[in-house]
Amino acid sequence: GSWLLELRDRYSFFHKLIPLLLSSCSDDMPHIRDLAYDYWKKVGLQWQRENEEDLKDKLDWSAPTPVLYPPGEKRPELGCRELVFRNLYRLLPAISRDITDWVVGTRVKASQLLIILLLHAEDHITQHMELLLSTLYRSCMDEEPLIVQNSVKSAELIGIFVNPEVFLKLILTTLDKSACSAHLMVLSAVLKGSSGPILHPHLMRIGTTLALPDVCQASEKLEYLEQELLCVQTLITVCGKSCSEISLQLLKVMVTITSVTSDQELKNKVEKTLACLATVQNLDSFLDLYRQHMSQLIGWVAATEHQWTTYSVEHRQFETLITQSGPVLGESIHEVFPVLTACLQPNRDPEMRLKLFTVLSKLLLKSNETLNSQGQFSNYLETLVKDILVPNLLWHAGRTAAAVRTIAVSCLWALLHSQILTQQQVNPRSEEH
């Protein structure tokens, strides 16, 4: 602090001395933090007096505090802000290097210092966005929770101070090329720092990018899926009712997450998020979301139906749609049933047929709440028996074929047990087969 105030050649060493003093502003000891802030305020005011001519316009017409400025944070003096801004091009490369240092303490200090620098630089960080984002992508993958926490806070400050047009262009392009959990973590943080009205013009682009197969299906790891869901939750929280414009895209993301994860806790979070999305659109329940978009969702997954195997994400998405949509399924039976018929032909992947038959038998047991919710399923009974069940009941050698026959019999039993078939419908089929 004394060097920054009294050193004769201090102007030549600002970029070396400023990090030393500002690092103390996040010290664990309160009295050191207070002393550092006191010194820093004096340094800023002295530099402001010494450069009064250069700062005349800014002093006379000082920029107002940004609307989204972090609550609880006191805005630094103009001299302090200018000092950081004018030295930022030298400070950021050093922080970017230190934040991936092999010593944990160094990485922690670098992540803390970055927050302080961003609070001082405000919208001047726009010209350093590429370096900042690449730095945060790396630090968000750190093993140390505190470093990740500080990195997320830095990303939120970017959302506060930088125009979304700038950071979205960089982040969404990176996501599209090679999505990873760190990219999604940074995206959710900058969205959280921004505001609904500012983000509104960019909502469609954000939603479309998140719903891209290369993004929403990029990984089945729990960490990745959690960050993906966090992006959706942040959009709903920040943008509220405006999310109705991208509810289809957000629904696609959540259907994909439910389809690929086996973690029940994450599935529960998805259900709550679906309920929130319905609430901000003034809908009664998440079923109304499916009702709005069921036709588009079926078309979305069925586009590659001829290529499905048991490992296809689209096949699992289809299962999620028909099991989660409840009575809405009966309203869309004319679109769902052709897909079921095509996928349950004997020439299709046996394991996929096993899974679909299992789902179908469960739906048949609750047919009045699912397939027959509109009383229209009787129109498809003949197709179900003649084109789906009977071909799969024919004997073929092998254990897999035997398993398929068994589950097909289970579906037939479920159909009879569901009481959809009347006695008049049962007898002709019994005579024929």
Side-chain angles (χ1 to χ4, degrees), residues 367-386:
S367 57
N368 290 331
E369 301 170 20
T370 56
L371 293 164
N372 199 39
S373 64
Q374 302 301 303
Q376 298 177 359
F377 191 59
S378 57
N379 300 331
Y380 299 90
L381 289 175
E382 186 171 349
T383 303
L384 173 64
V385 175
K386 294 177 68 174

Side-chain angles (χ1 to χ4, degrees), residues 105-133:
T106 303
R107 299 202 304 272
V108 170
K109 277 297 180 184
S111 66
Q112 292 171 336
L113 180 58
L114 181 58
I115 294 172
I116 296 172
L117 292 179
L118 296 184
L119 280 169
H120 281 74
E122 297 183 356
D123 58 347
H124 295 297
I125 61 178
T126 303
Q127 59 192 290
H128 304 284
M129 278 304 298
E130 288 193 21
L131 175 60
L132 276 172
L133 289 175

Side-chain angles (χ1 to χ4, degrees), residues 329-374:
L329 181 60
E331 300 170 22
S332 307
I333 191 67
H334 61 287
E335 294 173 309
V336 172
F337 209 77
V339 181
L340 273 174
T341 305
C343 292
L344 290 172
Q345 294 307 299
N347 62 339
R348 299 303 295 272
D349 180 54
E351 290 187 25
M352 179 184 75
R353 282 186 288 145
L354 280 171
K355 290 182 179 179
L356 279 177
F357 269 129
T358 303
V359 171
L360 181 58
S361 64
K362 292 177 180 177
L363 294 175
L364 287 170
L365 288 172
K366 296 182 177 180
S367 57
N368 290 331
E369 301 170 20
T370 56
L371 293 164
N372 199 39
S373 64
Q374 302 301 303

